[in-house]
Amino acid sequence: DNEGRKRELLSCAAGAGVAVAFGAPLGGVLFALEEVSTYFPRKTMWRSFWCAICAVLSMQWLNRNGSGKLVMFEVHYHHQWKWFEVVPFMALGIAGGLVGAAFVKMHAAALRFRASSSLLTSHPIPEVAALCFR
């Protein structure tokens, strides 16, 4: 009957299910952390992690596919990456990080301005109208 306990068990079960489906216990825990639970304390994270590990090891021990593989579908790459292919992806990652950092800085500055401006705090309806119909 304890709602907190039910949410904890649901997080562990979802993490274990994703871990078994993809053969990735840490991925299952991160899925449960992000999608399932609204409140995820540290003890629930460890319990979910151990549940996912036990589920993956049980699946491996059962060998349901009969192939000895953990998952049914695997991706095999037939060629190796060339260094000139990696450079554009590194540039995209760096650019995405810089744009994200700039966005966070601008958002923090906008929030500071909004909190310090008495005109905006005293007239909330015109502020919302200006933002909606811009």
Coordinates of all heavy atoms in Angstrom, one line a residue, residues 45-113:
M45 N 18.4 4.1 -7.0 CA 19.3 4.0 -8.2 C 20.1 2.7 -8.0 O 20.3 1.9 -8.9 CB 20.2 5.2 -8.3 CG 21.0 5.1 -9.6 SD 22.0 6.5 -9.9 CE 20.8 7.8 -9.9
W46 N 20.7 2.5 -6.8 CA 21.5 1.3 -6.6 C 20.6 0.0 -6.6 O 21.0 -1.0 -7.2 CB 22.2 1.4 -5.2 CG 23.4 2.2 -5.2 CD1 23.5 3.4 -4.7 CD2 24.6 1.9 -5.9 NE1 24.8 3.9 -4.9 CE2 25.4 3.0 -5.7 CE3 25.0 0.9 -6.7 CZ2 26.7 3.1 -6.2 CZ3 26.3 0.9 -7.2 CH2 27.1 2.0 -7.0
R47 N 19.4 0.1 -6.1 CA 18.5 -1.1 -6.2 C 18.2 -1.4 -7.6 O 18.1 -2.5 -8.0 CB 17.3 -0.9 -5.3 CG 17.6 -0.9 -3.9 CD 16.4 -0.6 -3.0 NE 16.7 -0.6 -1.6 CZ 15.9 -0.2 -0.7 NH1 14.7 0.3 -1.0 NH2 16.3 -0.3 0.6
S48 N 17.9 -0.4 -8.4 CA 17.6 -0.5 -9.8 C 18.8 -1.1 -10.6 O 18.6 -2.0 -11.4 CB 17.1 0.8 -10.4 OG 16.8 0.7 -11.7
F49 N 19.9 -0.6 -10.2 CA 21.2 -1.1 -10.9 C 21.4 -2.6 -10.6 O 21.6 -3.4 -11.5 CB 22.4 -0.3 -10.4 CG 23.6 -0.7 -11.1 CD1 23.8 -0.5 -12.5 CD2 24.7 -1.2 -10.4 CE1 25.0 -0.8 -13.1 CE2 25.9 -1.5 -11.0 CZ 26.0 -1.4 -12.4
W50 N 21.2 -3.0 -9.3 CA 21.4 -4.4 -9.0 C 20.3 -5.3 -9.6 O 20.6 -6.4 -10.0 CB 21.5 -4.6 -7.5 CG 22.9 -4.1 -7.0 CD1 23.1 -3.0 -6.2 CD2 24.1 -4.7 -7.3 NE1 24.4 -2.9 -6.0 CE2 25.1 -3.9 -6.6 CE3 24.6 -5.8 -8.0 CZ2 26.5 -4.1 -6.7 CZ3 25.9 -6.0 -8.1 CH2 26.9 -5.2 -7.4
C51 N 19.1 -4.8 -9.6 CA 18.1 -5.5 -10.3 C 18.3 -5.7 -11.8 O 18.1 -6.8 -12.3 CB 16.7 -4.7 -10.1 SG 15.3 -5.6 -10.7
A52 N 18.8 -4.7 -12.4 CA 19.1 -4.8 -13.9 C 20.3 -5.7 -14.1 O 20.3 -6.5 -15.0 CB 19.5 -3.4 -14.4
I53 N 21.3 -5.7 -13.2 CA 22.4 -6.6 -13.4 C 22.0 -8.1 -13.2 O 22.3 -9.0 -14.0 CB 23.6 -6.3 -12.4 CG1 24.3 -5.0 -12.9 CG2 24.5 -7.4 -12.3 CD1 25.4 -4.6 -12.0
C54 N 21.2 -8.3 -12.2 CA 20.6 -9.7 -11.9 C 19.8 -10.1 -13.1 O 19.8 -11.3 -13.5 CB 19.8 -9.7 -10.6 SG 20.9 -9.5 -9.2
A55 N 19.0 -9.2 -13.7 CA 18.1 -9.6 -14.8 C 19.0 -10.0 -16.0 O 18.7 -11.0 -16.7 CB 17.2 -8.5 -15.1
V56 N 20.0 -9.2 -16.3 CA 20.9 -9.5 -17.5 C 21.6 -10.8 -17.3 O 21.7 -11.6 -18.2 CB 21.8 -8.3 -17.7 CG1 22.9 -8.7 -18.7 CG2 21.0 -7.1 -18.3
L57 N 22.2 -11.0 -16.0 CA 22.9 -12.2 -15.8 C 22.0 -13.4 -15.8 O 22.3 -14.5 -16.3 CB 23.6 -12.1 -14.4 CG 24.8 -11.2 -14.4 CD1 25.4 -11.1 -13.0 CD2 25.8 -11.6 -15.4
S58 N 20.7 -13.3 -15.4 CA 19.8 -14.4 -15.4 C 19.4 -14.7 -16.9 O 19.3 -15.8 -17.3 CB 18.5 -14.0 -14.7 OG 18.8 -13.8 -13.3
M59 N 19.3 -13.6 -17.7 CA 19.0 -13.9 -19.1 C 20.1 -14.5 -19.8 O 19.9 -15.4 -20.6 CB 18.7 -12.5 -19.8 CG 18.2 -12.6 -21.2 SD 16.6 -13.3 -21.3 CE 16.3 -13.2 -23.0
Q60 N 21.3 -14.2 -19.4 CA 22.5 -14.8 -20.0 C 22.6 -16.2 -19.6 O 22.9 -17.1 -20.4 CB 23.7 -14.0 -19.7 CG 25.0 -14.5 -20.4 CD 26.2 -13.6 -20.1 OE1 26.2 -12.9 -19.1 NE2 27.2 -13.6 -20.9
W61 N 22.3 -16.5 -18.3 CA 22.4 -17.9 -17.8 C 21.3 -18.8 -18.4 O 21.5 -19.9 -18.7 CB 22.2 -17.8 -16.3 CG 22.3 -19.2 -15.7 CD1 23.4 -20.0 -15.5 CD2 21.2 -19.9 -15.1 NE1 23.0 -21.1 -14.9 CE2 21.7 -21.1 -14.6 CE3 19.8 -19.6 -14.9 CZ2 20.9 -22.1 -14.0 CZ3 19.1 -20.6 -14.3 CH2 19.6 -21.8 -13.9
L62 N 20.1 -18.2 -18.6 CA 19.0 -19.0 -19.2 C 19.3 -19.3 -20.7 O 18.8 -20.3 -21.2 CB 17.7 -18.3 -19.1 CG 17.1 -18.2 -17.7 CD1 15.8 -17.3 -17.7 CD2 16.7 -19.6 -17.3
N63 N 20.0 -18.4 -21.4 CA 20.3 -18.6 -22.8 C 19.1 -18.9 -23.7 O 19.0 -20.0 -24.3 CB 21.4 -19.7 -23.0 CG 22.0 -19.7 -24.3 OD1 21.9 -18.7 -25.1 ND2 22.8 -20.7 -24.6
R64 N 18.1 -18.1 -23.6 CA 16.8 -18.3 -24.3 C 17.0 -18.4 -25.8 O 16.2 -19.1 -26.4 CB 15.8 -17.2 -23.9 CG 15.6 -17.0 -22.5 CD 14.4 -17.8 -22.0 NE 13.2 -17.4 -22.7 CZ 12.1 -18.1 -22.7 NH1 12.1 -19.2 -22.0 NH2 11.1 -17.7 -23.3
N65 N 17.9 -17.7 -26.4 CA 18.1 -17.8 -27.8 C 18.8 -19.0 -28.3 O 18.7 -19.4 -29.4 CB 18.9 -16.5 -28.3 CG 18.3 -15.3 -27.9 OD1 17.0 -15.2 -27.8 ND2 19.0 -14.2 -27.8
G66 N 19.5 -19.7 -27.4 CA 20.3 -20.8 -27.8 C 21.6 -20.5 -28.5 O 22.2 -21.4 -29.0
S67 N 21.9 -19.3 -28.6 CA 23.1 -18.9 -29.4 C 24.2 -18.4 -28.5 O 25.3 -18.2 -28.9 CB 22.7 -17.7 -30.3 OG 22.3 -16.6 -29.5
G68 N 24.0 -18.3 -27.2 CA 25.0 -17.8 -26.3 C 25.1 -16.3 -26.3 O 25.9 -15.7 -25.5
K69 N 24.4 -15.6 -27.1 CA 24.4 -14.2 -27.2 C 23.4 -13.6 -26.1 O 22.4 -14.2 -25.8 CB 24.0 -13.7 -28.5 CG 25.0 -14.1 -29.6 CD 24.5 -13.6 -31.0 CE 25.3 -14.1 -32.1 NZ 24.8 -13.7 -33.4
L70 N 23.7 -12.4 -25.7 CA 22.8 -11.8 -24.7 C 21.6 -11.2 -25.4 O 20.5 -11.2 -24.8 CB 23.6 -10.7 -24.0 CG 22.9 -10.0 -22.8 CD1 22.5 -11.1 -21.8 CD2 23.8 -9.0 -22.2
V71 N 21.7 -10.7 -26.6 CA 20.5 -10.1 -27.3 C 20.4 -10.8 -28.6 O 21.3 -11.4 -29.1 CB 20.7 -8.6 -27.5 CG1 20.7 -7.8 -26.2 CG2 22.0 -8.3 -28.2
M72 N 19.2 -10.7 -29.2 CA 18.9 -11.4 -30.4 C 19.6 -10.7 -31.6 O 20.0 -11.4 -32.5 CB 17.4 -11.5 -30.7 CG 16.7 -12.5 -29.7 SD 15.0 -12.6 -30.0 CE 14.9 -13.3 -31.7
F73 N 19.5 -9.4 -31.6 CA 20.0 -8.7 -32.7 C 21.3 -7.9 -32.4 O 21.3 -7.2 -31.4 CB 18.9 -7.7 -33.2 CG 17.6 -8.3 -33.4 CD1 16.6 -8.2 -32.5 CD2 17.4 -9.1 -34.6 CE1 15.4 -8.8 -32.8 CE2 16.2 -9.8 -34.8 CZ 15.2 -9.6 -33.9
E74 N 22.3 -8.1 -33.1 CA 23.6 -7.4 -32.9 C 23.9 -6.6 -34.2 O 23.5 -7.0 -35.3 CB 24.7 -8.4 -32.6 CG 24.6 -9.1 -31.3 CD 25.7 -10.0 -31.0 OE1 26.6 -10.1 -31.9 OE2 25.7 -10.6 -29.9
V75 N 24.7 -5.6 -34.1 CA 25.1 -4.8 -35.2 C 26.6 -5.1 -35.4 O 27.4 -5.0 -34.5 CB 24.9 -3.3 -34.9 CG1 25.4 -2.5 -36.1 CG2 23.4 -3.0 -34.7
H76 N 26.9 -5.5 -36.6 CA 28.3 -5.7 -37.0 C 28.6 -4.7 -38.1 O 28.0 -4.6 -39.1 CB 28.4 -7.2 -37.5 CG 28.1 -8.2 -36.5 ND1 28.9 -8.5 -35.5 CD2 27.0 -9.0 -36.4 CE1 28.4 -9.5 -34.7 NE2 27.2 -9.8 -35.3
Y77 N 29.7 -4.0 -37.8 CA 30.2 -3.1 -38.8 C 31.2 -3.7 -39.7 O 32.1 -4.5 -39.2 CB 30.8 -1.9 -38.1 CG 29.8 -1.1 -37.3 CD1 29.7 -1.2 -35.9 CD2 28.9 -0.2 -37.9 CE1 28.8 -0.5 -35.2 CE2 28.0 0.5 -37.2 CZ 27.9 0.3 -35.9 OH 27.0 1.0 -35.1
H78 N 31.1 -3.5 -41.0 CA 32.0 -4.1 -41.9 C 33.2 -3.3 -42.3 O 34.0 -3.7 -43.1 CB 31.2 -4.5 -43.2 CG 30.1 -5.5 -42.9 ND1 30.3 -6.8 -42.4 CD2 28.7 -5.3 -42.9 CE1 29.1 -7.4 -42.2 NE2 28.2 -6.5 -42.5
H79 N 33.2 -2.1 -41.9 CA 34.4 -1.2 -42.2 C 34.8 -0.4 -40.9 O 34.0 -0.2 -40.0 CB 34.1 -0.3 -43.3 CG 33.1 0.8 -43.1 ND1 32.5 1.0 -41.9 CD2 32.5 1.7 -43.9 CE1 31.6 2.0 -41.9 NE2 31.6 2.4 -43.2
Q80 N 36.0 0.0 -40.9 CA 36.5 0.8 -39.8 C 36.3 2.3 -40.1 O 36.3 2.7 -41.3 CB 38.0 0.5 -39.6 CG 38.3 -0.9 -39.2 CD 37.7 -1.2 -37.8 OE1 37.8 -0.4 -36.9 NE2 37.2 -2.4 -37.6
W81 N 36.3 3.1 -39.1 CA 36.2 4.5 -39.3 C 37.5 5.0 -39.8 O 38.5 4.6 -39.4 CB 35.9 5.2 -37.9 CG 34.5 5.0 -37.5 CD1 34.0 4.1 -36.7 CD2 33.4 5.9 -37.8 NE1 32.6 4.3 -36.5 CE2 32.3 5.4 -37.1 CE3 33.3 7.1 -38.5 CZ2 31.0 6.0 -37.2 CZ3 32.0 7.7 -38.6 CH2 30.9 7.1 -38.0
K82 N 37.3 6.0 -40.7 CA 38.5 6.7 -41.2 C 38.6 8.0 -40.4 O 37.6 8.6 -40.0 CB 38.4 7.0 -42.7 CG 37.9 5.8 -43.5 CD 39.1 5.2 -44.2 CE 38.7 4.1 -45.1 NZ 37.8 3.1 -44.7
W83 N 39.8 8.5 -40.2 CA 40.0 9.7 -39.4 C 39.3 10.9 -39.9 O 38.8 11.8 -39.2 CB 41.5 10.0 -39.1 CG 42.0 9.0 -38.1 CD1 42.8 8.0 -38.3 CD2 41.7 9.0 -36.7 NE1 43.1 7.3 -37.1 CE2 42.4 7.9 -36.1 CE3 41.0 9.8 -35.9 CZ2 42.4 7.6 -34.8 CZ3 40.9 9.5 -34.5 CH2 41.6 8.5 -34.0
F84 N 39.3 11.0 -41.3 CA 38.6 12.2 -41.9 C 37.1 12.2 -41.6 O 36.5 13.2 -41.7 CB 39.0 12.3 -43.4 CG 38.3 11.3 -44.2 CD1 37.1 11.6 -44.8 CD2 39.0 10.1 -44.5 CE1 36.5 10.6 -45.6 CE2 38.4 9.2 -45.3 CZ 37.1 9.4 -45.9
E85 N 36.6 11.0 -41.3 CA 35.1 10.9 -41.0 C 34.8 11.4 -39.6 O 33.7 11.9 -39.3 CB 34.6 9.5 -41.2 CG 34.7 9.0 -42.6 CD 34.3 7.5 -42.7 OE1 34.6 6.8 -41.8 OE2 33.7 7.2 -43.8
V86 N 35.8 11.2 -38.7 CA 35.5 11.6 -37.3 C 35.6 13.1 -37.1 O 34.8 13.6 -36.2 CB 36.6 10.8 -36.5 CG1 36.5 11.2 -35.0 CG2 36.5 9.3 -36.6
V87 N 36.4 13.8 -37.9 CA 36.5 15.2 -37.7 C 35.2 16.0 -37.7 O 34.9 16.8 -36.9 CB 37.6 15.8 -38.6 CG1 37.7 17.3 -38.5 CG2 39.0 15.1 -38.3
P88 N 34.4 15.8 -38.8 CA 33.1 16.6 -38.8 C 32.2 16.3 -37.6 O 31.5 17.2 -37.1 CB 32.4 16.1 -40.1 CG 33.5 15.6 -40.9 CD 34.5 15.0 -40.0
F89 N 32.2 15.0 -37.1 CA 31.4 14.7 -35.9 C 31.9 15.4 -34.7 O 31.2 15.8 -33.8 CB 31.3 13.2 -35.8 CG 30.5 12.5 -36.8 CD1 31.1 11.8 -37.8 CD2 29.1 12.7 -36.8 CE1 30.3 11.2 -38.8 CE2 28.3 12.1 -37.8 CZ 28.9 11.3 -38.8
M90 N 33.3 15.4 -34.6 CA 33.8 16.2 -33.4 C 33.5 17.6 -33.5 O 33.1 18.2 -32.5 CB 35.4 16.0 -33.4 CG 35.8 14.6 -33.1 SD 37.6 14.3 -33.2 CE 38.3 15.6 -32.2
A91 N 33.5 18.2 -34.7 CA 33.1 19.6 -34.8 C 31.7 19.8 -34.5 O 31.3 20.8 -33.8 CB 33.4 20.1 -36.3
L92 N 30.8 18.9 -34.9 CA 29.4 19.0 -34.5 C 29.2 18.9 -33.0 O 28.4 19.7 -32.4 CB 28.6 17.9 -35.2 CG 28.2 18.2 -36.6 CD1 27.5 16.9 -37.2 CD2 27.2 19.3 -36.7
G93 N 29.9 18.1 -32.4 CA 29.8 17.9 -30.9 C 30.3 19.2 -30.2 O 29.6 19.6 -29.2
I94 N 31.4 19.7 -30.7 CA 31.9 21.0 -30.0 C 30.9 22.1 -30.3 O 30.6 22.9 -29.3 CB 33.3 21.3 -30.6 CG1 34.3 20.2 -30.1 CG2 33.8 22.7 -30.2 CD1 35.7 20.3 -30.8
A95 N 30.4 22.2 -31.5 CA 29.5 23.3 -31.8 C 28.2 23.2 -31.0 O 27.7 24.2 -30.4 CB 29.1 23.3 -33.3
G96 N 27.7 21.9 -30.8 CA 26.5 21.7 -30.0 C 26.8 22.1 -28.6 O 25.9 22.7 -27.9
G97 N 27.9 21.7 -28.0 CA 28.3 22.1 -26.7 C 28.3 23.6 -26.5 O 27.9 24.1 -25.5
L98 N 29.0 24.3 -27.4 CA 29.1 25.8 -27.3 C 27.7 26.4 -27.4 O 27.4 27.4 -26.7 CB 30.0 26.3 -28.4 CG 31.5 25.9 -28.2 CD1 32.3 26.4 -29.4 CD2 32.0 26.5 -26.9
V99 N 26.9 26.0 -28.3 CA 25.5 26.5 -28.4 C 24.7 26.3 -27.2 O 24.0 27.2 -26.7 CB 24.8 26.0 -29.7 CG1 23.3 26.3 -29.7 CG2 25.5 26.5 -31.0
G100 N 24.8 25.1 -26.6 CA 24.1 24.8 -25.4 C 24.6 25.6 -24.2 O 23.8 26.1 -23.4
A101 N 25.9 25.8 -24.1 CA 26.4 26.7 -23.0 C 26.0 28.1 -23.2 O 25.6 28.8 -22.2 CB 28.0 26.6 -23.0
A102 N 26.0 28.6 -24.4 CA 25.5 30.0 -24.7 C 24.0 30.1 -24.3 O 23.6 31.1 -23.7 CB 25.7 30.4 -26.1
F103 N 23.2 29.1 -24.7 CA 21.8 29.1 -24.3 C 21.6 29.2 -22.8 O 20.8 30.0 -22.3 CB 21.1 27.9 -24.9 CG 19.6 27.9 -24.5 CD1 18.7 28.7 -25.2 CD2 19.2 27.0 -23.5 CE1 17.4 28.6 -24.8 CE2 17.9 27.0 -23.1 CZ 17.0 27.8 -23.8
V104 N 22.3 28.4 -22.1 CA 22.2 28.4 -20.6 C 22.6 29.7 -20.0 O 21.9 30.3 -19.1 CB 23.0 27.2 -20.0 CG1 23.1 27.4 -18.5 CG2 22.4 25.9 -20.4
K105 N 23.7 30.3 -20.5 CA 24.1 31.6 -20.1 C 23.0 32.7 -20.3 O 22.7 33.5 -19.5 CB 25.4 32.1 -20.7 CG 26.6 31.2 -20.3 CD 27.3 31.8 -19.2 CE 28.6 31.1 -18.9 NZ 29.1 31.4 -17.7
M106 N 22.5 32.7 -21.6 CA 21.5 33.7 -21.9 C 20.2 33.5 -21.1 O 19.6 34.5 -20.7 CB 21.1 33.6 -23.4 CG 22.3 34.2 -24.3 SD 21.8 34.4 -26.0 CE 21.0 32.9 -26.5
H107 N 19.8 32.3 -20.9 CA 18.6 32.0 -20.1 C 18.8 32.4 -18.6 O 17.9 33.0 -18.0 CB 18.3 30.5 -20.1 CG 17.0 30.1 -19.5 ND1 17.0 29.6 -18.2 CD2 15.7 30.3 -19.9 CE1 15.7 29.4 -17.9 NE2 15.0 29.8 -18.9
A108 N 20.0 32.2 -18.1 CA 20.3 32.7 -16.7 C 20.2 34.2 -16.6 O 19.7 34.8 -15.7 CB 21.6 32.1 -16.2
A109 N 20.8 34.9 -17.7 CA 20.8 36.3 -17.7 C 19.3 36.8 -17.8 O 19.0 37.8 -17.1 CB 21.6 36.8 -18.8
A110 N 18.5 36.2 -18.6 CA 17.1 36.6 -18.8 C 16.4 36.4 -17.4 O 15.5 37.3 -17.1 CB 16.4 35.8 -19.9
L111 N 16.6 35.3 -16.7 CA 16.0 35.1 -15.5 C 16.4 36.2 -14.4 O 15.6 36.6 -13.6 CB 16.2 33.7 -14.9 CG 15.5 32.6 -15.7 CD1 15.9 31.2 -15.1 CD2 14.0 32.8 -15.6
R112 N 17.7 36.5 -14.4 CA 18.2 37.5 -13.5 C 17.5 38.9 -13.8 O 17.1 39.6 -12.9 CB 19.7 37.6 -13.5 CG 20.4 36.6 -12.7 CD 21.9 36.9 -12.6 NE 22.6 37.1 -13.8 CZ 23.1 36.2 -14.5 NH1 23.1 34.9 -14.1 NH2 23.8 36.4 -15.7
F113 N 17.4 39.2 -15.1 CA 16.8 40.5 -15.5 C 15.3 40.5 -15.1 O 14.8 41.5 -14.6 CB 16.9 40.7 -17.0 CG 16.1 41.8 -17.5 CD1 16.5 43.1 -17.2 CD2 15.0 41.6 -18.2 CE1 15.7 44.2 -17.7 CE2 14.2 42.7 -18.7 CZ 14.6 44.0 -18.4

